[in-house]
Amino acid sequence: MDYSKDNNESNKLLASVDWFTVLLYLILVVAGAISIYAATTNSVSQVSIFDFNTYSGKQFLWIGLSFVIGFSLLLIDRLIYEDYAYPIYIVMIVILLATAVFAPNIKGSHSWLKFGAVSIQPAEFAKTATALALAKLFSTYGFKLGHWRTYIVPLAIILTPVLCIILESETGSALVYFSLIFVLYREGMSGFVLYAILTAVSLFVIVLKYANDMIMGIPLGSFIVLTIVMITIVLMLFFYCRAMIPGRNVAIGYLASAIVTWGLTAIGVHINGYVYFFTVITLSIIYLLIAMFRENITKILITIGFAIASILFMFSVNIVFNNALRPHQQNRIKIALGVIEDIQDKGYNVNQSKIAIGSGGFAGKGFLKGTQTKLNYVPEQHTDFIYCTIGEEEGFLGASAVLLLFLVLILRIIAIAERQHTAFGRVYAYCVAAIFIFHVTINIGMVIGLVPVIGIPLPFFSYGGSSLWGFTIMLFILLRIDAARAEYGTW
């Protein structure tokens, strides 16, 4: 047997690995374990950071196993990941379903499989399986997003694990998969779809945020949405129909309606807000229908559809919010939006987290000197709220350094995605980037009170073997796929 050839191939593989990304990974996981030690260790009776009876010691054990897993993945032929992407995905779906059925109830969630003293959360590994399946689909010869039928399979790949995880009562983990919509956009999805999604989220927030304030006899949130619809009609018409400029006439009609309404209100004639808006919007739509028969039929239909869909969505927000979400989920959203304040109960975690971060100041209180941390004011501080420990003890400088490390890692992953020679490698890399962006943004936003508390871990920092192993597997598979560029040359 020619061992020299095997050695040359191994040396070539090791040389082609993106070691800068590996270095970033090592810095993040070690910084994470140190942060866990700081969050769980009393400064008076300190124990060794490597003591396996502590959270930090266990995390270092998970880190050691992660190194073994990661570097083992580098030795597997990259074709294995592509050829077995669908079987891996199917197996993970089966495991997710089994978890929903057989997993014990832990804090209201059936998301952990117990093997003796060890608990595993399959949802953390399903992210990698979903990314592989999506990459495999886009690498299929001739597949391209275009007609609406081409969206059925990719959306099914994304939504199937979402439904399985919802069955486990683990809503936070399920939301992560929606970040893969941005991958579809990168691969050719219409920008209008992404615009519609972002608009729906914005309208949802506006309606709930200002649901209790009234103006013209209607909730302020509904007033804002209806005003946005009217303005959007004018702007879209100016953009689509610049030659015939029907938007000018619509704008003049809005102005005249407003003047008449204000005049009637001034002399004591009450006009219901809904009646006013619906009358004006209906007249606008009638005008558009007349203009539609003259020019730009498709574009004007899109404008009319946007207006009607926005109004229907506005009325559905409260129905969905009150009937589809559980009371504790509703409270978390209301607290994040500032609709209610409950710093002693539902909003206690976030309030204490903000106090801890704010008390750190510019340079922090010093390692193991965080009073909020040491007195256990913030529950779950070594898991979902680990970032507030960094903010308190290391201050603005330390918190910014962590953000900078994640930014560099994500930008590096995007750079890796752009240099891939295959659709499989590119799509998988963008899936990894999207998942990292979602986790970092939502977790830190949750800790500082910008988004609702939904139980999203901070990659490499939050305590837990499942999360650490899941992100390690995801990242090192990407590094193996990227290393194959040099191994196989230009494909």
Side-chain angles (χ1 to χ4, degrees):
M1 182 179 292
D2 187 0
Y3 290 100
S4 61
K5 182 178 179 180
D6 292 338
N7 290 333
N8 289 335
E9 290 179 353
S10 298
N11 292 334
K12 189 175 181 180
L13 171 63
L14 292 175
S16 59
V17 170
D18 192 320
W19 290 106
F20 179 71
T21 302
V22 175
L23 176 62
L24 289 173
Y25 166 80
L26 293 175
I27 294 173
L28 286 168
V29 296
V30 172
I34 293 174
S35 299
I36 291 171
Y37 178 73
T40 58
T41 302
N42 191 308
S43 57
V44 177
S45 56
Q46 296 181 18
V47 295
S48 171
I49 193 172
F50 300 107
D51 187 342
F52 290 155
N53 292 319
T54 65
Y55 286 113
S56 60
K58 293 176 182 177
Q59 188 71 3
F60 271 110
L61 175 61
W62 308 145
I63 291 174
L65 293 174
S66 294
F67 291 165
V68 175
I69 293 171
F71 287 101
S72 298
L73 292 171
L74 292 178
L75 301 177
I76 299 175
D77 193 317
R78 65 98 190 169
L79 292 175
I80 296 295
Y81 302 120
E82 185 170 356
D83 293 341
Y84 290 93
Y86 287 150
I88 292 172
Y89 176 78
I90 293 172
V91 169
M92 281 308 310
I93 294 300
V94 172
I95 293 175
L96 287 176
L97 290 173
T99 303
V101 175
F102 299 109
N105 188 329
I106 301 177
K107 296 182 180 180
S109 172
H110 298 267
S111 58
W112 294 85
L113 290 177
K114 295 185 68 68
F115 301 94
V118 179
S119 297
I120 300 293
Q121 188 176 19
E124 294 294 336
F125 306 98
K127 300 169 192 173
T128 301
T130 304
L132 288 171
L134 205 59
K136 176 66 174 179
L137 174 65
F138 278 94
S139 67
T140 303
Y141 179 76
F143 181 81
K144 185 179 180 181
L145 291 177
H147 192 273
W148 66 268
R149 292 188 184 90
T150 59
Y151 288 88
I152 295 176
V153 177
L155 288 177
I157 290 175
I158 294 173
L159 294 178
T160 300
V162 170
L163 296 175
C164 294
I165 295 171
I166 289 176
L167 291 176
E168 300 174 3
S169 300
E170 190 67 29
T171 309
S173 297
L175 292 176
V176 176
Y177 293 83
F178 289 103
S179 64
L180 300 178
I181 296 296
F182 291 95
V183 180
L184 301 187
Y185 174 71
R186 170 60 180 82
E187 294 302 312
M189 184 182 74
S190 171
F192 184 80
V193 177
L194 189 60
Y195 168 76
I197 294 173
L198 296 177
T199 300
V201 173
S202 300
L203 296 183
F204 183 86
V205 171
I206 290 171
V207 172
L208 290 180
K209 171 71 174 176
Y210 302 104
N212 298 326
D213 300 320
M214 302 296 290
I215 183 172
M216 291 180 65
I218 62 175
L220 179 57
S222 299
F223 177 89
I224 295 173
V225 170
L226 292 169
T227 303
I228 291 173
V229 169
M230 293 169 61
I231 294 174
T232 303
I233 288 176
V234 175
L235 294 178
M236 293 178 74
L237 286 173
F238 270 120
F239 179 76
Y240 285 143
C241 312
R242 291 182 294 274
M244 55 187 296
I245 319 182
R248 178 183 60 191
N249 299 332
V250 176
I252 293 173
Y254 287 167
L255 180 60
S257 300
I259 292 174
V260 171
T261 302
W262 291 334
L264 292 174
T265 303
I267 63 176
V269 179
H270 175 71
I271 297 178
N272 182 271
Y274 282 122
V275 174
Y276 165 74
F277 275 108
F278 285 129
T279 300
V280 175
I281 291 175
T282 301
L283 291 174
S284 301
I285 292 176
I286 291 173
Y287 176 82
L288 293 175
L289 290 172
I290 295 173
M292 181 179 66
F293 291 102
R294 298 171 54 191
E295 194 173 348
N296 298 299
I297 295 177
T298 302
K299 295 175 181 178
I300 292 178
L301 282 175
I302 291 175
T303 305
I304 295 173
F306 167 82
I308 296 174
S310 298
I311 294 172
L312 293 176
F313 183 81
M314 177 189 72
F315 283 112
S316 69
V317 167
N318 286 324
I319 297 174
V320 173
F321 184 78
N322 293 323
N323 296 282
L325 298 180
R326 298 178 180 178
H328 73 278
Q329 295 170 331
Q330 296 176 16
N331 288 329
R332 288 175 178 178
I333 293 175
K334 288 180 178 179
I335 290 170
L337 295 178
V339 176
I340 61 174
E341 292 186 8
D342 189 8
I343 61 175
Q344 298 299 324
D345 188 13
K346 304 299 181 183
Y348 176 81
N349 287 23
V350 175
N351 184 61
Q352 292 299 324
S353 174
K354 291 191 290 186
I355 292 174
I357 293 174
S359 66
F362 183 74
K365 297 177 179 177
F367 186 60
L368 299 181
K369 295 181 180 179
T371 54
Q372 294 289 115
T373 297
K374 296 299 167 281
L375 296 176
N376 295 320
Y377 278 109
V378 184
E380 309 297 336
Q381 192 160 335
H382 61 297
T383 55
D384 296 343
F385 284 83
I386 188 68
Y387 190 71
C388 71
T389 299
I390 301 168
E392 182 181 20
E393 297 194 348
E394 310 305 327
F396 174 80
L397 291 177
S400 299
V402 171
L403 282 177
L404 181 61
L405 284 171
F406 277 117
L407 177 61
V408 174
L409 175 63
I410 291 168
L411 291 177
R412 189 67 175 182
I413 293 172
I414 293 175
I416 290 174
E418 287 299 323
R419 72 189 185 192
Q420 297 305 302
H421 297 298
T422 65
F424 180 83
R426 182 182 66 251
V427 173
Y428 180 77
Y430 270 108
C431 287
V432 175
I435 291 170
F436 268 98
I437 291 171
F438 186 90
H439 268 270
V440 174
T441 302
I442 298 301
N443 177 272
I444 294 179
M446 174 183 74
V447 170
I448 62 178
L450 293 180
V451 299
V453 178
I454 55 176
I456 295 292
L458 185 62
F460 308 131
F461 276 80
S462 295
Y463 172 78
S466 294
S467 174
L468 178 60
W469 294 342
F471 282 111
T472 298
I473 292 171
M474 186 187 303
L475 186 61
F476 275 80
I477 288 178
L478 172 61
L479 293 175
R480 180 61 184 91
I481 293 171
D482 178 61
R485 293 182 308 109
E487 182 180 347
Y488 289 93
T490 302
W491 301 334

